[in-house]
Amino acid sequence: EWDGAAVAAALSSIAGLEPQGEIEQRVFKRSYFVTSNDAIVLARQALAEAGLAARVVASHARFLDVLPQCGGKGAAMAHVARMLRFRPEQIV
């Protein structure tokens, strides 16, 4: 259900969001610099209005990553743990 091009298109006209360089873009992640306080709220609204299920992760008041709804470090860790048959209490 992830369409990175549609995510980029939905966010392209938001003032205060600047795409990070190509090296920071991934198949399942779009990364931006935040230069406006309203940009994060506007990004979430734009994605919802476009009907795109995505997780918006803001950090350090200047970075924004957009991931698939079920993506992220926690989901990746849980997936690997299941594959290796680790219980949560075995993971640090």
Side-chain angles (χ1 to χ4, degrees):
E1 297 179 25
W2 173 256
D3 185 343
V7 167
L11 301 180
S12 66
S13 64
I14 295 178
L17 274 188
E18 298 294 328
Q20 292 183 21
E22 267 314 300
I23 196 166
E24 295 300 329
Q25 309 303 330
R26 307 283 189 275
V27 172
F28 293 105
K29 176 178 73 89
R30 293 295 178 267
S31 296
Y32 297 85
F33 294 112
V34 176
T35 61
S36 163
N37 292 337
D38 297 330
I40 297 166
V41 171
L42 294 173
R44 287 188 172 113
Q45 288 174 347
L47 293 167
E49 289 171 6
L52 298 168
R55 177 178 295 189
V56 175
V57 180
S59 60
H60 306 288
R62 61 182 178 178
F63 301 117
L64 182 122
D65 287 334
V66 183
L67 312 163
Q69 187 70 37
C70 62
K73 292 176 185 174
M77 184 212 53
H79 172 71
V80 172
R82 281 191 303 275
M83 287 178 41
L84 298 175
R85 296 189 175 128
F86 286 166
R87 294 184 314 275
E89 60 270 15
Q90 293 176 292
I91 300 168
V92 177

